[in-house]
Amino acid sequence: MTESLTILVTRPEPGGSATADLLRARGHVPVLAPCLDIEALPATLPYTCDAIVIASAQALPGLPAAWRAIPLFAVGDATAARARDLGFITVESASGTARDLADLVVRQLKPRAAIVLPCGAGHSLELAAALRTAGFRVTRRVVYRSRPAEHLAAAAIAALAAEAVDRVMIFSPATARRFASLIDHESLAGTLRRAIAIAISPAAAAPLARLPFRAIRAAISPDQDHMLAILP
């Protein structure tokens, strides 16, 4: 039987609650501790396109309902599942990185296809460049931005202060940097000595190195499924 773990989930909403539900179904005790706040931004989008390319589920809520029938290519399985939940009919997952996503689009779409790439502020620039180099007509639009959370959630502070946290799930380098800053601000570094950090990638693990975790594990592929695989 799988050991029940108390797990801090630092992912912002709406993904944080979805991850918490998944952990709860596996018998764990999730504690939401979002380290970034997501703000939707107004964006002028084309009337239509040949395909939508998504590198983060945070970009999905801002897409018009009229686009549900347009083929959508997602960076990973969780993002693809979120798109299907929102009503997108034709969804394919690259099950990997932005580079894998670009490769999938190249294999599946005809040259000169018109692609819309909704993304966060400062995100997906390399992906857009790679798709343009491959011959696609890419419209990149910023539909959200992330801001550092001002405080750790009260429940997270309480769990850390009680030294009850077994794992901390970190979903991006920006989240890792903000988590480290918030831990310093709350003088909680010492409470991490029995906890293990679960990072989505080596880049997300790097900012955690100065914190006294018992161990820091990085997923071999940057997605939630591979993070879950290294929880025990």
Side-chain angles (χ1 to χ4, degrees), residues 39 58 60 86:
E39 178 186 2
Q58 301 293 353
L60 289 168
L86 289 173

Side-chain angles (χ1 to χ4, degrees), residues 14-202:
S17 290
T19 297
D21 289 343
L22 185 59
L23 293 171
R24 206 173 284 113
R26 294 181 175 215
H28 300 305
V29 180
V31 179
L32 292 175
C35 292
L36 300 175
D37 295 324
I38 303 299
E39 178 186 2
L41 298 174
T44 302
L45 298 168
Y47 176 72
T48 189
C49 59
D50 296 315
I52 307 161
V53 176
I54 296 287
S56 169
Q58 301 293 353
L60 289 168
L63 303 185
W67 283 14
R68 299 298 192 263
I70 298 174
L72 185 146
F73 296 85
V75 68
D77 297 341
T79 301
R82 176 65 176 158
R84 294 186 189 101
D85 289 344
L86 289 173
F88 286 89
I89 298 168
T90 304
V91 180
E92 294 201 41
S93 171
S95 301
T97 65
R99 179 175 296 179
D100 296 320
L101 178 55
D103 290 344
L104 174 64
V105 172
V106 169
R107 291 196 305 270
Q108 296 291 330
L109 294 183
K110 295 180 180 179
R112 298 290 298 162
I115 291 172
V116 173
L117 177 54
C119 62
H123 296 178
S124 294
L125 294 167
E126 291 184 4
L127 176 57
L131 292 172
R132 290 185 180 118
T133 298
F136 298 108
R137 292 174 291 144
V138 179
T139 300
R140 176 181 169 272
R141 289 290 183 266
V142 174
V143 296
Y144 74 92
R145 65 183 171 193
S146 58
R147 296 180 298 178
E150 293 187 6
H151 307 285
L152 274 175
I157 292 173
L160 287 164
E163 298 191 17
V165 174
D166 300 300
R167 303 288 186 271
V168 179
M169 296 183 72
I170 301 289
F171 286 81
S172 71
T175 296
R177 292 190 292 270
R178 189 55 182 162
F179 177 77
S181 295
L182 291 173
I183 286 292
D184 288 344
H185 178 73
E186 299 290 346
S187 301
L188 289 169
T191 69
L192 297 171
R193 298 187 190 281
R194 62 180 297 272
I196 294 175
I198 306 295
I200 197 168
S201 66

